[in-house]
Amino acid sequence: MNKHSLQIALAYMSVVIGGGFASGNEVLQFFTGYGLAGIAGSVVAAVLFAFLGMHIARISSIMQAGSHKQVLYSLFGQQAGFVVDIILSFFLYGVGVVMLAGAGSTLAQQFGLAPLVGSILMTVLVIGTLCLNVKGIINLISAVMPFLLIMVLAITVYSIYTSTGTQEELSQVATEVQVITFLGAEVPNWALSGLLYASFNIAVGFPMLAVIGGLTKSPKAAALGGIGGGLGLGFLIILLNVGLFANLDKLLGIEIPTLLLAQQIHPWLAVLMSIALICMIYSTAVGMFFAFSARFATPETTRFKVLSAIFAVVGLALSQVGFTKLVGTVYPMLGVVGLILIIAIGLSWVRTRKRSAEELAADPRAQHK
């Protein structure tokens, strides 16, 4: 894996993971609540992330896409692609708003600040970052990943090593965990939960992954980056899932499980974990507002920077609705969009897997700008 592949992998992981993963709450609901079988669910998600990342990054590199809408047109055709683009763009904007609210909630819980203060600080950071060039944005997002990786590895390995619950006891506690709901009903098994986790998150990661892939000249390097990022995501999900399961008897009713695990090791580690959470929220917020602004203006132009600032400030106002309410509204609907994307990407792979990069570049579907 060369430098470009590694950068794609790290940026892909950073944008997809976000604050929900770093908090442990997503993994708890999607996987740990199914007991040991949840590990199999996380493997399902890992395979899907690797496959989807590979194909999105490869197609984008072949097209030299400057925006995710070009890749959408390739997947759906121009008319359907335009409709999906509009729907996806506004839902992704909603995720960006959720991240601003999440920053306010995290700083309020750990440091006692008013939620609005945290949201304002995150908004300023996002606007400042979006005024950089595209490569500068990608470098900043990629740089967040190693920090989180070290934090999750340290906390999880220590928590597994110091676990006192038996497998029978922990499996019993798992039955009391509130698993994810989809369209008003609890998801009945780990396999479907793994599919839904990938669908929620690929919709979030798709725009930035498409842009990053478009900056890479080699389709092979882009594909390797997508695979590496997907497998890296799977590794982190499995590791965190095992760590949460090993300590499940202490985590019932806890909103940010990783913060509690860090607190049990040392108070200063909890502070570092809070910083890691903010970093993950930041990387996702930047990715979402970047993708939304790129829908209306070319990145790095003055128009793009002005629109980014306007969209972020409007998002700040909307974020005051509340973190929990926003998550409950935006994420289930985004999952439906993600499932449509997964089907389209799968069909595209079947259609193009035996064609060369040169043939794909000449395809009329790849000519939309």
Side-chain angles (χ1 to χ4, degrees), residues 209-293:
L209 183 57
V211 172
I212 297 167
L215 293 172
T216 308
K217 300 295 183 185
S218 167
K220 183 179 179 181
L224 284 174
I227 293 171
L231 294 178
L233 284 167
F235 170 73
L236 285 175
I237 292 165
I238 293 167
L239 186 65
L240 183 55
N241 184 25
V242 172
L244 293 175
F245 180 76
N247 294 271
L248 203 50
D249 52 332
K250 308 166 191 169
L251 300 176
L252 278 182
I254 300 298
E255 240 183 68
I256 307 181
T258 51
L259 203 55
L260 178 67
L261 294 179
Q263 185 72 42
Q264 290 181 338
I265 298 171
H266 197 281
W268 274 107
L269 194 59
V271 174
L272 289 176
M273 192 63 216
S274 298
I275 295 171
L277 274 168
I278 292 297
C279 287
M280 287 296 96
I281 289 170
Y282 161 76
S283 69
T284 301
V286 168
M288 297 307 96
F289 283 107
F290 177 91
F292 188 73
S293 298

Side-chain angles (χ1 to χ4, degrees), residues 31-314:
F31 304 110
T32 316
Y34 296 97
L36 286 177
I39 296 173
S42 55
V43 172
V44 170
V47 172
L48 282 170
F49 278 133
F51 167 72
L52 297 168
M54 170 197 72
H55 194 64
I56 294 167
R58 178 172 178 265
I59 291 294
S60 180
S61 176
I62 290 168
M63 298 174 65
Q64 291 294 284
S67 167
H68 68 276
K69 66 181 177 181
Q70 293 169 248
V71 184
L72 283 177
Y73 289 169
S74 174
L75 293 172
F76 292 95
Q78 188 165 12
Q79 291 184 338
F82 176 77
V83 173
V84 174
D85 178 31
I86 295 295
I87 295 170
L88 179 62
S89 294
F90 279 94
F91 276 126
L92 293 178
Y93 181 73
V95 173
V97 174
V98 170
M99 291 301 108
L100 298 182
S105 296
T106 301
L107 290 179
Q109 181 171 323
Q110 182 63 27
F111 302 109
L113 297 174
L116 180 60
V117 173
S119 296
I120 290 173
L121 289 173
M122 184 57 65
T123 302
V124 171
L125 277 174
V126 168
I127 293 172
T129 305
L130 291 176
C131 288
L132 301 173
N133 59 42
V134 176
K135 289 188 177 179
I137 292 170
I138 292 168
N139 287 336
L140 273 173
I141 292 175
S142 300
V144 170
M145 197 61 239
F147 177 51
L148 177 75
L149 185 60
I150 292 169
M151 290 294 298
V152 170
L153 281 172
I155 292 170
T156 304
V157 171
Y158 183 86
S159 298
I160 293 170
Y161 181 73
T162 57
S163 173
T164 55
T166 66
Q167 183 181 320
E168 292 75 17
E169 290 171 344
L170 296 172
S171 295
Q172 180 58 41
V173 175
T175 63
E176 301 175 44
V177 174
Q178 175 65 56
V179 296
I180 194 68
T181 59
F182 183 65
L183 302 179
E186 281 194 359
V187 176
N189 61 67
W190 54 266
L192 184 56
S193 189
L195 170 63
L196 287 175
Y197 188 76
S199 75
F200 286 138
N201 286 287
I202 200 62
V204 172
F206 174 82
M208 183 57 76
L209 183 57
V211 172
I212 297 167
L215 293 172
T216 308
K217 300 295 183 185
S218 167
K220 183 179 179 181
L224 284 174
I227 293 171
L231 294 178
L233 284 167
F235 170 73
L236 285 175
I237 292 165
I238 293 167
L239 186 65
L240 183 55
N241 184 25
V242 172
L244 293 175
F245 180 76
N247 294 271
L248 203 50
D249 52 332
K250 308 166 191 169
L251 300 176
L252 278 182
I254 300 298
E255 240 183 68
I256 307 181
T258 51
L259 203 55
L260 178 67
L261 294 179
Q263 185 72 42
Q264 290 181 338
I265 298 171
H266 197 281
W268 274 107
L269 194 59
V271 174
L272 289 176
M273 192 63 216
S274 298
I275 295 171
L277 274 168
I278 292 297
C279 287
M280 287 296 96
I281 289 170
Y282 161 76
S283 69
T284 301
V286 168
M288 297 307 96
F289 283 107
F290 177 91
F292 188 73
S293 298
R295 177 67 184 77
F296 302 97
T298 302
E300 300 182 30
T301 62
T302 301
R303 174 182 168 85
F304 177 84
K305 294 172 183 177
V306 171
L307 285 177
S308 295
I310 292 171
F311 293 148
V313 171
V314 172

Side-chain angles (χ1 to χ4, degrees), residues 2-12 138-139 142 212:
N2 62 24
K3 178 184 176 182
H4 295 296
S5 298
L6 183 61
Q7 191 175 54
I8 288 172
L10 291 174
Y12 179 24
I138 292 168
N139 287 336
S142 300
I212 297 167

